[in-house]
Amino acid sequence: MADHDDKKCAHASCNCPVKDGSKYCSTFCEGEGDTTDIICSCGHPGCSATL
Ligand SMILES: [Zn+2]
Ligand SMILES: [Zn+2]
């Protein structure tokens, strides 16, 4: 096993894997990273708001 951590998005409510070299999965979370939102609206499948 190599050092391949499943790094998750730094957004508190996001479970998406981050892009390589980024703390966030998308520019959305990058902008909302400081916001402790309950719902993630990054738009990635499996991480959208449960409406
Ligand atoms: Zn997300
Ligand atoms: Zn994210």
Side-chain angles (χ1 to χ4, degrees), residues 8-11 13-18 23-26 28-30 40 42 44 47:
K8 285 196 287 186
C9 182
H11 193 278
S13 305
C14 185
N15 293 316
C16 304
V18 298
K23 272 176 65 180
Y24 303 95
C25 68
S26 62
F28 174 85
C29 287
E30 204 172 333
C40 178
C42 67
H44 287 134
C47 189

